[in-house]
Amino acid sequence: LTMLRATIAWQVFDATRSAFNLGLIGLVQFLPVIPMSLWAGAVADAFDRKAIVMWAQSGAALCSLSLLVSQLWWQEPPVTLIYVAVLALSLASSLE
């Protein structure tokens, strides 16, 4: 997961050459953590934790796969698509 986040940061900076856009990646990763953590605690109490971790890791893998496919489809994928994938990755990571 750390390697994926470093790769995403490098890709965004390489595509935009903007430190502001790189900072937005950090913001998109951080914003859903607090509300999702509160919700994830309730989910962890109500459901099987092994299944939750499996679904969260599957979601993270799907985000990685979507980034790979977008990179292969477009030489430079739209930055908005990367932000959406980072948001989904952060949500899955918070649930895990």
Side-chain angles (χ1 to χ4, degrees):
L1 194 59
T2 303
M3 193 76 142
L4 178 63
R5 287 183 177 165
T7 304
I8 289 169
W10 174 77
Q11 186 177 15
V12 167
F13 187 75
D14 189 46
T16 63
R17 297 285 184 214
S18 169
F20 177 74
N21 286 331
L22 193 58
L24 282 179
I25 290 290
L27 184 66
V28 169
Q29 286 177 349
F30 174 72
L31 278 181
V33 169
I34 293 173
M36 188 64 177
S37 296
L38 297 173
W39 184 75
V43 170
D45 290 339
F47 297 102
D48 181 32
R49 291 183 181 152
K50 289 180 185 178
I52 293 169
V53 170
M54 182 189 71
W55 282 106
Q57 289 182 353
S58 297
L62 189 61
C63 291
S64 299
L65 184 64
S66 69
L67 287 171
L68 173 67
V69 168
S70 70
Q71 181 66 36
L72 293 174
W73 186 264
W74 296 290
Q75 199 60 19
E76 281 190 24
V79 177
T80 308
L81 180 70
I82 297 172
Y83 286 136
V84 170
V86 166
L87 178 65
L89 186 65
S90 179
L91 290 172
S93 177
S94 295
L95 186 61
E96 186 179 359

